[in-house]
């Protein structure tokens, strides 16, 4: 994602007491500090009884739903109240409006949700605190409450020892540092753009993950049949059932502690560990599969590499396609083949004796290439998410006053 998408913060060198480390260009005045109760109204809802629930109607949110909405998702198991009851509550007591904030007060506390569009809903009393009539920019306040020093102050205001809870009185006492309105808007917009980018990458990653999951079913024969449901054009004929021992050479990893530092990566069940000066495979790529510990997360190893003794590595025999075989490993339910009563474990015998269906080599290559492309797209989104979250974390500590 291009950095041009975002406003660019500039460091200001003036020694002003109550200011953040980094400011947007053009802002240099000192920030104010006030309690939340001085900047907004804190309230709750009126009691709705269980007998007031109806099969369909106006959504009735609890803390779980508000936490999900804050993550741009929603539960499928919603509760509802009737439109008549909602209208009565709205007319007599008011209901949350666009620009208000709801924050979870029991269970998982401190999850804030900014209402960014008008829609009808009501919420459970005691579960949530309703922040309304906000005098500062609501996007700024939402970002503050959900992250960094603001989230820390919210959580520290909780009462109780075993079961923590937020109260309106205690939450109203937390202090909010804020600049002039124009700078609030700049900060709020910056983080909104950042969050939208994170949301978009998460959405695309989820779609690709679901697509891959579906295609690992549809593009491979299911039990009792010898052809897949979906096939690339130009391929026909039945797939052949073989054991892994007929299509891979399964090798054991070894201890690396006698080796010196170098440029050859060492892998374990969790991925890359360090680099050494020797390889177990210098020129043949393989698939790593856990012998002990994490046994259900196979992944491709690019030569040269070394694997530790808890990670087997499988090298394709002949012209069998590496990416296709990787799909077979990912499709297999290795946890069902766990041979231990403690730490999950697999043996060479178990892996080698596992039967799979395979087509001819040219169809293997087409399928392998398709899933390699999917994996590459997914990895790109993961990398972008990692970068964006790092940017967000750094900016939260520098664009806000991070000291109490």
């Amino acid at each position: 994602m291009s950095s041009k998408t975002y406003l660019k913060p500039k460091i200001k060198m003036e020694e002003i007491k109550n200011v953040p480390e980094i400011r947007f260009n053009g802002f240099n005045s000192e920030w104010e500090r006030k309690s939340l109760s001085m900047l907004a109204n804190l309230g709750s809802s009126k009691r709705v009884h269980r007998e007031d629930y109806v099969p369909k109607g106006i959504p009735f949110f609890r803390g779980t739903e508000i936490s999900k909405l804050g993550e741009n998702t929603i539960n499928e198991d919603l509760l509802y109240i009737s439109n008549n009851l909602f209208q009565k509550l709205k007319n007599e007591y008011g209901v949350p409006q666009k620009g208000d904030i709801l924050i979870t007060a029991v269970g998982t506390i401190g999850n804030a949700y900014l209402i960014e569009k008008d829609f009808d809903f009501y919420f459970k009393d005691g579960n949530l605190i309703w922040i309304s009539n906000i005098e500062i920019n609501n996007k700024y306040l939402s970002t503050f409450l959900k992250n960094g020093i603001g989230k820390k102050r919210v959580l520290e205001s909780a009462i109780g020892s075993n079961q923590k809870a937020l109260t309106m009185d205690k939450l109203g006492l937390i202090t909010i540092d804020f600049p002039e309105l124009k700078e609030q808007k700049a900060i709020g917009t910056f983080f909104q753009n950042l969050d939208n980018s994170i949301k978009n990458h998460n959405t695309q990653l989820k779609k690709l993950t679901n697509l891959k999951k579906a295609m690992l079913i549809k593009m491979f024969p299911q039990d009792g049949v010898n052809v897949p449901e979906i096939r690339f054009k130009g391929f026909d004929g039945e797939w052949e059932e073989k054991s892994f021992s007929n299509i891979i050479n399964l090798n054991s990893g070894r201890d690396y502690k006698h080796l010196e530092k170098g440029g050859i990566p060492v892998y374990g069940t969790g991925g890359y560990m360090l680099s050494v000066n020797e390889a177990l495979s210098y020129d043949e790529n393989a698939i790593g599969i856990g012998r002990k510990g994490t046994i259900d997360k196979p992944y491709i190893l690019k030569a040269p590499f070394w694997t530790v003794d808890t990670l087997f590595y499988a090298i394709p025999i002949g012209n069998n396609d590496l990416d296709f075989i990787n799909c077979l490993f990912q499709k297999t339910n290795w946890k069902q083949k766990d041979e231990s009563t403690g730490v999950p474990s697999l043996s060479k015998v178990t892996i080698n004796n596992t039967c799979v269906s395979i087509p001819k080599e040219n169809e293997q290559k087409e399928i392998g290439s398709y899933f390699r492309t999917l994996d590459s797209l997914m990895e790109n989104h993961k990398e972008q998410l990692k970068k964006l979250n790092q940017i967000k974390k750094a900016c939260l500590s520098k664009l806000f006053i991070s000291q109490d």
Side-chain angles (χ1 to χ4, degrees), residues 36 39-40 66 69-72 99-103 110-116 131 134 136-151 154 174 176-178 184 187-189 191-192 195 392 396 400:
L36 180 57
L39 298 170
I66 292 302
L69 284 167
E71 299 169 354
N72 299 298
D100 294 348
I101 295 170
L102 291 170
I103 188 164
N111 290 339
Y113 167 59
L114 171 64
I115 304 170
E116 297 194 67
I131 304 173
I134 300 167
I136 61 175
N137 181 263
N138 52 22
K139 292 177 184 174
Y140 173 88
L141 180 58
S142 174
T143 300
F144 180 86
L145 294 174
K146 289 163 66 174
N147 301 280
I149 188 66
K151 183 68 174 278
V154 168
I174 72 166
I176 314 293
D177 297 289
F178 61 96
Q184 291 174 40
I187 294 170
T189 299
F191 283 104
Q192 184 180 46
D195 285 339
K392 182 177 179 179
L396 282 168
F400 288 93

Side-chain angles (χ1 to χ4, degrees), residues 12-27:
K12 285 297 193 177
M13 302 306 293
E14 292 90 347
E15 289 293 331
I16 302 175
K17 183 180 178 183
N18 199 39
V19 295
E21 183 179 342
I22 292 179
R23 309 281 298 266
F24 288 102
N25 197 29
F27 299 106

Side-chain angles (χ1 to χ4, degrees), residues 83-342:
N83 186 59
N84 287 340
L85 176 57
F86 174 76
Q87 293 300 329
K88 182 178 185 294
L89 293 166
K90 180 178 180 180
N91 293 334
E92 294 184 9
Y93 308 107
V95 296
Q97 304 291 317
K98 178 181 177 181
D100 294 348
I101 295 170
L102 291 170
I103 188 164
T104 55
V106 296
T108 303
I109 63 174
N111 290 339
Y113 167 59
L114 171 64
I115 304 170
E116 297 194 67
K117 61 181 180 180
D118 286 316
F119 69 106
D120 291 340
F121 73 91
Y122 204 58
F123 65 98
K124 186 173 176 60
D125 65 297
N127 275 215
L128 299 154
I129 294 174
W130 174 15
I131 304 173
S132 61
N133 298 320
I134 300 167
E135 295 182 4
I136 61 175
N137 181 263
N138 52 22
K139 292 177 184 174
Y140 173 88
L141 180 58
S142 174
T143 300
F144 180 86
L145 294 174
K146 289 163 66 174
N147 301 280
I149 188 66
K151 183 68 174 278
K152 179 173 179 282
R153 290 175 187 171
V154 168
L155 297 178
E156 288 177 347
S157 77
I159 63 169
S161 53
N162 295 329
Q163 185 68 38
K164 295 283 189 180
L166 298 180
T167 65
M168 288 182 281
D169 288 342
K170 292 292 186 181
L171 185 63
L173 294 175
I174 72 166
T175 53
I176 314 293
D177 297 289
F178 61 96
E180 60 180 281
L181 183 59
K182 191 174 180 181
E183 189 174 2
Q184 291 174 40
K185 290 179 177 178
I187 294 170
T189 299
F190 174 82
F191 283 104
Q192 184 180 46
N193 288 340
L194 203 51
D195 285 339
N196 285 341
S197 292
I198 291 170
K199 175 186 173 183
N200 289 338
H201 282 291
N202 270 321
T203 299
Q204 293 303 313
L205 179 58
K206 185 176 181 179
K207 286 180 179 178
L208 288 167
T209 301
N210 289 338
L211 175 62
K212 179 179 178 180
K213 184 177 180 180
M215 291 298 105
L216 281 171
I217 295 172
K218 293 179 180 295
M219 294 181 70
F220 292 80
Q222 300 306 298
D223 291 343
V225 295
N226 294 318
V227 294
E229 179 183 342
I230 294 177
R231 208 162 188 180
F232 285 111
K233 189 176 180 180
F235 296 106
D236 54 23
E238 294 184 348
W239 288 29
E240 185 178 359
E241 186 173 290
K242 290 186 177 183
S243 65
F244 268 122
S245 62
N246 294 127
I247 58 175
I248 60 162
N249 285 320
L250 189 62
N251 303 278
S252 298
R254 290 162 48 192
D255 185 30
Y256 63 88
K257 294 183 180 65
H258 62 288
L259 301 175
E260 298 177 3
K261 290 183 179 180
I264 294 172
V266 176
Y267 295 101
T269 56
Y272 172 79
M273 297 173 60
L274 72 164
S275 295
V276 294
N277 64 331
E278 291 185 25
L280 291 177
S281 177
Y282 281 96
D283 52 15
E284 291 183 300
N285 297 332
I287 298 150
I289 178 72
R291 179 183 70 82
K292 182 175 284 191
T294 304
I295 61 173
D296 62 335
K297 303 292 182 186
Y299 60 96
I300 288 179
L301 303 168
K302 294 290 186 180
F305 63 82
W306 187 285
T307 67
V308 298
D309 59 2
T310 56
L311 187 71
F312 293 125
Y313 63 98
I315 297 175
I317 294 173
N319 292 322
N320 287 298
D321 184 73
L322 177 76
D323 294 295
F324 175 82
I325 295 174
N326 185 42
C327 292
L328 296 177
F329 269 88
Q330 291 184 28
K331 276 178 54 62
T332 302
N333 189 340
W334 295 111
K335 285 186 175 180
Q336 284 188 347
K337 301 178 184 295
D338 179 13
E339 301 171 337
S340 74
T341 56

Side-chain angles (χ1 to χ4, degrees), residues 48 52-60 76-82:
V48 172
D52 294 318
Y53 299 159
V54 296
K56 285 293 178 184
I58 304 299
F60 182 71
E76 293 182 5
D77 263 347
L78 291 181
L79 298 177
Y80 298 92
I81 60 173
S82 69

Side-chain angles (χ1 to χ4, degrees), residues 370-384:
Y370 172 79
F371 282 97
R372 183 173 65 249
T373 299
L374 280 184
D375 286 340
S376 178
L377 291 171
M378 291 165 63
E379 194 58 38
N380 286 340
H381 285 295
K382 289 176 184 177
E383 283 298 315
Q384 289 300 315

